[in-house]
Amino acid sequence: MKNKKQFRELLLKWNRKENKRTMPWKGEKDAYKVWLSEIILQQTRVEQGWDYYEKFIQHYPTITDLANAKDEAIFKLWEGLGYYSRCKNLLHTARMVNENYAGVFPREYDSILKLKGIGAYTASAIASFCFDLPYAVVDGNVLRVLSRYFGIDLPVDSTEGKHFFSRLAQECLDKSQPGEYNQSIMDFGATVCKPAPLCNQCPMKASCVAFNTGNVSVLPVKQKSIVKKERWFSYFIFSFDHKKFIQQRVAKDIWQNLHEFYLEETTVNPEWNIKKVSDWLQVHFGIKKTKGIYIIAAKKQILTHQFIHGYFIYAELITVPKKLQQTNGFWLTDDEIKLKAFPRFIHQFTQKKLMQAQVL
Ligand code: ADE
């Protein structure tokens, strides 16, 4: 195996000389801020997370401020980021640290790891950045850098691969400056050793096994590609008297507690057209006539393993049918709707920002 010391030194030299990446949380020592940034970045790109981080810090400068906030306010601030379990865990942990640790983030790795929403990666990031503890971060960026530099073709998602790469990551770590090392490898993976890598400007290529054996494009190796579940969400936007019908999602599913329009979910593509919608309205709600219907189809990958196909169907009603009156939900004006938290998918639709939308 190639020299780990050389790897570490080249990486840190690149960081000092060439790493131009600036981010508001970089060099931050306040564990609350580091934790917040890491939770935001768990499934979100840096460019997208940046503004959210700043908004949160501005509104809630300390963990106690966050702990004392209303759930609804935090959900609203989180709107658009997706993966809402992160947001729920954020509140849970803020309140837990506020109560059990007097608002001071714990300083030991094992205590940090016990907090809800914090896995090995986030715990290592907090422990190394804030408390100089020697824990190496391992995520997709790190696996890509290590598998290429050392030329390892063990599947990164196999049990053996996971153990191997965790050990390798830990052995490469600069234990005298773990925070700087961890930030360097994250940044290097994000800006140079990217999925489509910039080998021509890489200062490590002379000793990179993948580069020297022509294996950059096949590493890292993955055992299984993810099987995606497809779901069809048809949102009926019932409008009456300048108000729209809104429901809150209560089921233990994606987007729990968020708001949405009346939803009809199917496992196959309903292939809506005006005639089909009219028939459906008649069968389900006894609606014989409307002031107008129009249909917009959209699709979006919302989670790594779920793909949502959406239809947004406007139906302007002449009267509110009995069945809809008896359905849980409420009628809101557009201004009132703006105050509610919606899934990013719907939010983008209402803001007319859906990229893959098509009027039928
Ligand atoms: N992704 C997760 N944590 C990060 C960090 N601290 N800097 C850049 N990207 C990250």
Side-chain angles (χ1 to χ4, degrees):
M1 169 133 354
K2 279 271 175 184
N3 197 329
K4 292 164 203 153
K5 183 162 174 272
Q6 186 182 20
F7 171 76
R8 178 188 311 135
E9 286 171 1
L10 285 170
L11 179 69
L12 288 167
K13 188 169 163 201
W14 168 82
N15 184 52
R16 280 191 299 272
K17 296 241 163 80
E18 295 176 57
N19 187 4
K20 301 283 182 307
R21 212 170 181 218
T22 56
M23 292 169 296
W25 49 82
K26 217 165 152 171
E28 181 60 63
K29 287 279 175 191
D30 178 342
Y32 163 60
K33 294 181 181 165
V34 170
W35 164 67
L36 177 68
S37 71
E38 293 299 336
I39 300 300
I40 290 174
L41 293 175
Q42 272 172 5
Q43 275 113 340
T44 299
R45 284 174 300 106
V46 166
E47 306 79 64
Q48 196 200 347
W50 188 307
D51 281 355
Y52 284 87
Y53 171 80
E54 296 199 318
K55 262 194 314 184
F56 266 87
I57 295 298
Q58 201 183 344
H59 284 82
Y60 306 103
T62 69
I63 200 162
T64 303
D65 297 322
L66 182 61
N68 290 334
K70 289 217 164 68
D71 288 19
E72 276 290 310
I74 301 303
F75 272 68
K76 187 65 195 164
L77 212 54
W78 191 268
E79 185 179 55
L81 268 178
Y83 296 87
Y84 274 81
S85 57
R86 288 186 293 168
C87 181
K88 284 184 219 163
N89 290 338
L90 190 80
L91 265 171
H92 184 279
T93 292
R95 288 169 184 162
M96 144 83 189
V97 170
N98 198 41
E99 277 172 31
N100 298 6
Y101 292 98
V104 182
F105 221 87
R107 300 178 67 92
E108 300 78 34
Y109 178 84
D110 290 335
S111 315
I112 299 171
L113 187 60
K114 284 205 186 96
L115 298 172
K116 216 166 172 190
I118 297 188
Y121 176 87
T122 305
S124 299
I126 298 170
S128 63
F129 293 154
C130 308
F131 309 123
D132 291 318
L133 296 173
Y135 290 89
V137 290
V138 182
D139 71 345
N141 281 328
V142 174
L143 291 169
R144 192 167 57 248
V145 173
L146 294 179
S147 67
R148 286 176 177 164
Y149 184 83
F150 293 101
I152 313 290
D153 63 359
L154 265 178
V156 292
D157 52 350
S158 64
T159 309
E160 195 190 350
K162 281 184 199 160
H163 283 132
F164 181 89
F165 282 103
S166 295
R167 194 163 356 103
L168 177 60
Q170 196 58 31
E171 287 165 359
C172 288
L173 179 71
D174 186 332
K175 303 196 175 48
S176 66
Q177 40 187 341
E180 188 182 338
Y181 171 91
N182 276 339
Q183 188 64 58
S184 304
I185 197 166
M186 285 179 192
D187 290 348
F188 187 73
T191 60
V192 182
C193 199
K194 303 194 282 189
L198 307 178
C199 295
N200 59 346
Q201 62 186 66
C202 175
M204 305 224 221
K205 62 173 179 272
S207 47
C208 171
V209 174
F211 183 76
N212 290 304
T213 56
N215 282 315
V216 173
S217 63
V218 296
L219 292 173
V221 170
K222 289 208 183 106
Q223 193 167 260
K224 49 176 182 284
S225 55
I226 301 160
V227 179
K228 292 206 179 84
K229 181 176 168 191
E230 303 212 41
R231 302 172 76 173
W232 271 264
F233 282 18
S234 300
Y235 281 116
F236 286 83
I237 306 174
F238 291 121
S239 131
F240 179 75
D241 193 21
H242 307 292
K243 291 183 178 171
K244 297 194 175 76
F245 186 74
I246 303 294
Q247 293 184 296
Q248 190 165 21
R249 286 178 75 86
V250 288
K252 246 194 156 1
D253 185 9
I254 54 165
W255 306 336
Q256 194 184 6
N257 299 334
L258 298 189
H259 297 82
E260 63 186 1
F261 301 107
Y262 183 92
L263 172 66
E264 170 83 352
E265 181 175 353
T266 48
T267 52
V268 293
N269 186 353
E271 297 182 18
W272 293 113
N273 54 40
I274 300 290
K275 164 90 174 68
K276 271 192 171 180
V277 169
S278 306
D279 291 349
W280 187 92
L281 290 174
Q282 163 98 45
V283 171
H284 278 75
F285 287 111
I287 296 171
K288 292 197 181 72
K289 208 167 175 299
T290 65
K291 281 196 203 164
I293 292 172
Y294 71 93
I295 308 168
I296 291 170
K299 57 187 167 199
K300 188 169 179 65
Q301 172 156 0
I302 53 135
L303 299 169
T304 44
H305 58 288
Q306 284 197 36
F307 197 94
I308 302 289
H309 299 265
Y311 285 95
F312 294 92
I313 302 164
Y314 270 102
E316 200 172 345
L317 305 180
I318 296 165
T319 56
V320 178
K322 230 200 195 100
K323 196 172 155 203
L324 198 52
Q325 286 172 23
Q326 292 160 351
T327 306
N328 269 341
F330 27 93
W331 292 88
L332 299 180
T333 62
D334 286 344
D335 283 344
E336 288 165 334
I337 287 174
K338 284 198 193 108
L339 301 175
K340 300 284 179 198
F342 284 79
R344 183 170 158 75
F345 184 50
I346 300 178
H347 186 65
Q348 284 179 327
F349 168 77
T350 56
Q351 305 288 304
K352 301 191 173 54
K353 279 194 195 147
L354 270 185
M355 304 303 283
Q356 298 195 53
Q358 185 190 359
V359 182
L360 298 179

